Amino acid sequence: MNPDASPVRWRASIGLTVGGDGPVSSIVESDHGSEGSAREWIERKLPGTRFPAWIPAARRADGVELFGRVARGRVVTGRLLPTWESEGTPVWHADRAGDRVQWRRCADENRVVENEEH
């Protein structure tokens, strides 16, 4: 392990995507000591998350979507700015389904390998 890296963490984030394959932007992130804690945070926060005010309602109809993500990695601090480094392991993606969250297990950013609903 890099001496300037934190212990393994699970980063939960809520972000925006445009049209599925379009650009992605993170809105809020939260680091956790376990995968379960990170997923619970997404399940509490994502259903009630609102679009940022700078995205007009008309753009939301163009395929702008909110989603959640949980990835395993470390924060590396031995640089000018602390940097999150994913371990390259499968990640969880979460989509809003009313007041619930639908999880997709992804081997990487683009490939879904398993579905699970909570």
Side-chain angles (χ1 to χ4, degrees), residues 60-118:
R60 295 176 203 160
D62 292 338
V64 176
E65 297 290 333
L66 289 166
F67 69 97
R69 181 174 183 257
V70 172
R72 179 181 161 147
R74 300 174 190 276
V75 176
V76 178
T77 58
R79 300 179 179 153
L80 183 59
L81 294 173
T83 305
W84 169 260
E85 289 189 356
S86 175
E87 289 191 337
T89 57
V91 298
W92 287 101
H93 284 264
D95 296 311
R96 296 196 297 183
D99 62 349
R100 302 184 65 150
V101 170
Q102 183 175 6
W103 290 98
R104 297 177 287 137
R105 185 77 164 162
C106 300
D108 59 36
E109 288 301 309
N110 299 310
R111 202 181 97 193
V112 175
V113 294
E114 175 183 334
N115 286 326
E116 183 178 312
E117 187 173 320
H118 287 271

Side-chain angles (χ1 to χ4, degrees), residues 1-2 4-9 73-77:
M1 179 171 93
N2 179 339
D4 293 326
S6 70
V8 170
R9 306 294 294 164
R74 300 174 190 276
V75 176
V76 178
T77 58

Side-chain angles (χ1 to χ4, degrees), residues 6 11-12 17 27 30 34 36 39 49 54 62 90 100 107-108 110:
S6 70
R11 177 159 286 180
T17 184
I27 296 173
S30 178
S34 73
R39 288 182 62 174
T49 300
W54 52 267
D62 292 338
R100 302 184 65 150
D108 59 36
N110 299 310

Side-chain angles (χ1 to χ4, degrees), residues 22-46:
V24 174
S25 176
S26 181
I27 296 173
V28 63
E29 298 172 338
S30 178
D31 288 348
H32 300 265
S34 73
E35 178 182 317
S37 175
R39 288 182 62 174
E40 287 173 10
W41 185 87
I42 292 288
E43 289 175 359
R44 279 192 323 272
K45 299 288 185 183
L46 183 59

